[in-house]
Coordinates of all heavy atoms in Angstrom, one line a residue:
F1 N -4.5 10.8 -6.0 CA -4.8 9.4 -5.7 C -3.8 8.5 -6.4 O -3.4 8.8 -7.5 CB -6.2 9.1 -6.1 CG -7.2 10.1 -5.4 CD1 -7.6 11.3 -6.1 CD2 -7.8 9.8 -4.2 CE1 -8.5 12.2 -5.5 CE2 -8.7 10.7 -3.6 CZ -9.0 11.9 -4.3
T2 N -3.5 7.4 -5.7 CA -2.6 6.4 -6.4 C -3.0 5.0 -5.9 O -3.6 4.9 -4.8 CB -1.1 6.7 -6.0 OG1 -0.3 5.6 -6.6 CG2 -0.9 6.7 -4.5
D3 N -2.8 4.0 -6.7 CA -3.1 2.7 -6.3 C -1.8 2.0 -5.7 O -1.8 0.8 -5.5 CB -3.6 1.8 -7.5 CG -2.6 1.8 -8.7 OD1 -1.5 2.3 -8.6 OD2 -3.1 1.4 -9.8
A4 N -0.8 2.8 -5.4 CA 0.4 2.3 -4.8 C 0.1 1.8 -3.3 O -0.8 2.3 -2.7 CB 1.5 3.4 -4.7
K5 N 1.0 1.0 -2.8 CA 0.9 0.5 -1.4 C 2.0 1.2 -0.6 O 3.2 1.1 -1.0 CB 1.0 -1.0 -1.4 CG 0.9 -1.6 0.0 CD 1.1 -3.1 0.0 CE 1.0 -3.7 1.4 NZ 1.1 -5.2 1.3
I6 N 1.6 1.8 0.4 CA 2.6 2.5 1.3 C 2.0 2.9 2.6 O 0.8 3.3 2.7 CB 3.2 3.8 0.6 CG1 4.3 4.4 1.4 CG2 2.1 4.7 0.2 CD1 5.1 5.5 0.7
A7 N 2.7 2.7 3.7 CA 2.2 3.1 5.0 C 2.1 4.6 5.2 O 2.7 5.4 4.4 CB 3.1 2.5 6.1
W8 N 1.4 5.0 6.2 CA 1.1 6.4 6.3 C 2.3 7.3 6.5 O 2.5 8.3 5.8 CB 0.1 6.7 7.5 CG -0.1 8.1 7.7 CD1 -0.9 9.0 6.9 CD2 0.5 9.0 8.7 NE1 -0.8 10.3 7.4 CE2 0.0 10.3 8.5 CE3 1.4 8.7 9.8 CZ2 0.4 11.4 9.3 CZ3 1.7 9.8 10.6 CH2 1.3 11.1 10.3
Q9 N 3.2 6.9 7.4 CA 4.3 7.8 7.8 C 5.2 8.1 6.6 O 5.6 9.2 6.3 CB 5.1 7.3 8.9 CG 6.2 8.3 9.5 CD 5.5 9.5 10.0 OE1 4.7 9.5 11.0 NE2 5.8 10.7 9.4
P10 N 5.7 7.0 5.8 CA 6.5 7.3 4.7 C 5.8 8.1 3.6 O 6.4 8.9 2.9 CB 6.9 5.9 4.1 CG 6.1 4.9 4.8 CD 5.6 5.6 6.1
L11 N 4.4 7.9 3.5 CA 3.7 8.6 2.5 C 3.6 10.1 2.9 O 3.8 11.0 2.1 CB 2.2 8.1 2.4 CG 1.3 8.7 1.4 CD1 1.8 8.4 0.0 CD2 -0.1 8.2 1.6
Q12 N 3.4 10.3 4.2 CA 3.4 11.7 4.8 C 4.7 12.4 4.6 O 4.8 13.6 4.2 CB 3.0 11.7 6.2 CG 2.9 13.0 6.9 CD 1.7 13.8 6.4 OE1 0.6 13.2 6.1 NE2 1.8 15.1 6.4
D13 N 5.8 11.7 4.8 CA 7.1 12.3 4.7 C 7.4 12.6 3.2 O 8.0 13.7 2.9 CB 8.2 11.3 5.2 CG 8.2 11.1 6.7 OD1 7.5 11.9 7.4 OD2 8.7 10.0 7.1
M14 N 7.0 11.7 2.3 CA 7.2 12.0 0.9 C 6.4 13.2 0.4 O 6.9 14.1 -0.3 CB 6.8 10.8 0.0 CG 7.1 10.9 -1.4 SD 6.5 9.4 -2.4 CE 7.3 8.1 -1.6
L15 N 5.2 13.3 0.9 CA 4.4 14.4 0.5 C 5.0 15.7 1.0 O 5.0 16.7 0.2 CB 3.0 14.3 1.1 CG 1.9 15.4 0.7 CD1 1.7 15.4 -0.8 CD2 0.6 15.1 1.5
G16 N 5.5 15.8 2.2 CA 6.1 17.0 2.7 C 7.3 17.4 1.9 O 7.5 18.6 1.6
R17 N 8.2 16.4 1.5 CA 9.4 16.7 0.7 C 9.0 17.3 -0.6 O 9.6 18.3 -1.0 CB 10.2 15.4 0.5 CG 11.0 14.9 1.7 CD 12.0 13.9 1.2 NE 11.4 12.7 0.5 CZ 11.0 11.6 1.1 NH1 11.0 11.6 2.5 NH2 10.5 10.6 0.4
L18 N 8.0 16.7 -1.3 CA 7.7 17.2 -2.6 C 6.9 18.5 -2.6 O 7.0 19.2 -3.5 CB 6.9 16.1 -3.3 CG 7.6 14.8 -3.6 CD1 6.8 13.7 -4.3 CD2 8.9 15.0 -4.4
T19 N 6.2 18.7 -1.5 CA 5.4 20.0 -1.4 C 6.4 21.2 -1.4 O 6.2 22.2 -2.0 CB 4.6 20.0 -0.1 OG1 3.6 19.0 -0.2 CG2 3.9 21.4 0.0
D20 N 7.5 21.0 -0.7 CA 8.5 22.1 -0.7 C 9.2 22.3 -2.0 O 9.8 23.4 -2.2 CB 9.6 21.7 0.4 CG 9.1 22.0 1.8 OD1 8.2 22.7 2.0 OD2 9.7 21.4 2.7
R21 N 9.1 21.4 -3.0 CA 9.7 21.5 -4.3 C 8.6 22.0 -5.3 O 9.0 22.2 -6.5 CB 10.3 20.2 -4.7 CG 11.5 19.8 -3.9 CD 11.9 18.4 -4.3 NE 12.2 18.2 -5.7 CZ 12.4 17.0 -6.3 NH1 12.2 15.9 -5.6 NH2 12.6 17.0 -7.6
T22 N 7.4 22.0 -4.9 CA 6.3 22.3 -5.9 C 5.4 23.4 -5.4 O 5.6 24.6 -5.6 CB 5.5 21.0 -6.2 OG1 5.0 20.5 -5.0 CG2 6.4 20.0 -6.9
F23 N 4.4 23.0 -4.6 CA 3.3 24.0 -4.2 C 3.8 25.1 -3.3 O 3.3 26.2 -3.3 CB 2.2 23.2 -3.5 CG 1.4 22.4 -4.5 CD1 1.5 21.0 -4.5 CD2 0.6 22.9 -5.4 CE1 0.8 20.2 -5.3 CE2 -0.1 22.1 -6.3 CZ 0.0 20.8 -6.3
N24 N 4.9 24.8 -2.6 CA 5.5 25.9 -1.7 C 6.4 26.8 -2.5 O 7.0 27.7 -1.9 CB 6.2 25.3 -0.5 CG 5.3 25.0 0.6 OD1 4.1 25.4 0.6 ND2 5.8 24.3 1.6
N25 N 6.5 26.6 -3.8 CA 7.3 27.5 -4.7 C 6.5 28.2 -5.7 O 7.0 28.6 -6.7 CB 8.4 26.7 -5.4 CG 9.5 26.3 -4.4 OD1 9.7 27.0 -3.4 ND2 10.3 25.3 -4.7
I26 N 5.2 28.4 -5.5 CA 4.4 29.1 -6.4 C 3.7 30.3 -5.6 O 3.5 30.3 -4.4 CB 3.3 28.3 -7.0 CG1 2.2 27.8 -6.0 CG2 3.9 27.1 -7.8 CD1 1.0 27.1 -6.6
T27 N 3.4 31.4 -6.4 CA 2.7 32.5 -5.8 C 2.0 33.2 -6.9 O 2.5 33.4 -8.0 CB 3.7 33.5 -5.0 OG1 2.9 34.6 -4.5 CG2 4.8 33.9 -5.9
V28 N 0.8 33.6 -6.6 CA 0.0 34.4 -7.6 C -0.1 35.9 -7.0 O 0.2 36.8 -7.8 CB -1.4 33.9 -7.8 CG1 -2.3 34.9 -8.5 CG2 -1.4 32.6 -8.6
D29 N -0.4 36.0 -5.7 CA -0.7 37.3 -5.2 C -0.1 37.6 -3.8 O -0.4 38.5 -3.2 CB -2.2 37.6 -5.2 CG -3.0 36.5 -4.6 OD1 -2.3 35.7 -3.8 OD2 -4.2 36.4 -4.8
S30 N 0.7 36.6 -3.3 CA 1.4 36.7 -2.0 C 0.5 36.5 -0.8 O 0.9 36.6 0.3 CB 2.1 38.1 -1.8 OG 1.2 39.1 -1.4
D31 N -0.8 36.1 -1.1 CA -1.8 35.9 0.0 C -2.0 34.4 0.2 O -2.4 33.7 -0.7 CB -3.1 36.6 -0.3 CG -3.0 38.1 -0.2 OD1 -2.2 38.6 0.6 OD2 -3.8 38.8 -0.9
T32 N -1.8 34.0 1.5 CA -2.0 32.6 1.9 C -3.4 32.4 2.4 O -3.9 33.0 3.3 CB -1.0 32.2 3.0 OG1 0.3 32.3 2.4 CG2 -1.2 30.7 3.4
S33 N -4.1 31.4 1.8 CA -5.5 31.1 2.1 C -5.6 30.5 3.5 O -4.7 29.9 4.1 CB -6.1 30.2 1.1 OG -7.4 29.7 1.5
T34 N -6.8 30.7 4.1 CA -7.2 30.0 5.4 C -7.6 28.6 5.2 O -7.8 27.8 6.1 CB -8.4 30.7 6.0 OG1 -9.5 30.7 5.1 CG2 -8.1 32.2 6.3

C-alpha cells in the first residue's frame, strides 16, 4: 500500500517490471502455487 497518486496502467506496468526483479527471482522448492 502507498499514499502515492498514480493511474492504474502506469502502476500496473511498474508492478510488472519490479516483480521480474524480485518475486520472480525467488524459489524455495520449485513448486508454483495455485
Side-chain angles (χ1 to χ4, degrees):
F1 305 90
T2 177
D3 56 10
K5 181 181 179 181
I6 183 170
W8 175 76
Q9 191 61 63
L11 185 67
Q12 183 69 34
D13 292 344
M14 187 184 300
L15 182 62
R17 286 195 301 274
L18 295 180
T19 297
D20 282 342
R21 296 169 56 194
T22 56
F23 292 106
N24 273 351
N25 283 340
I26 66 172
T27 178
V28 167
D29 49 20
S30 81
D31 287 332
T32 298
S33 171
T34 59

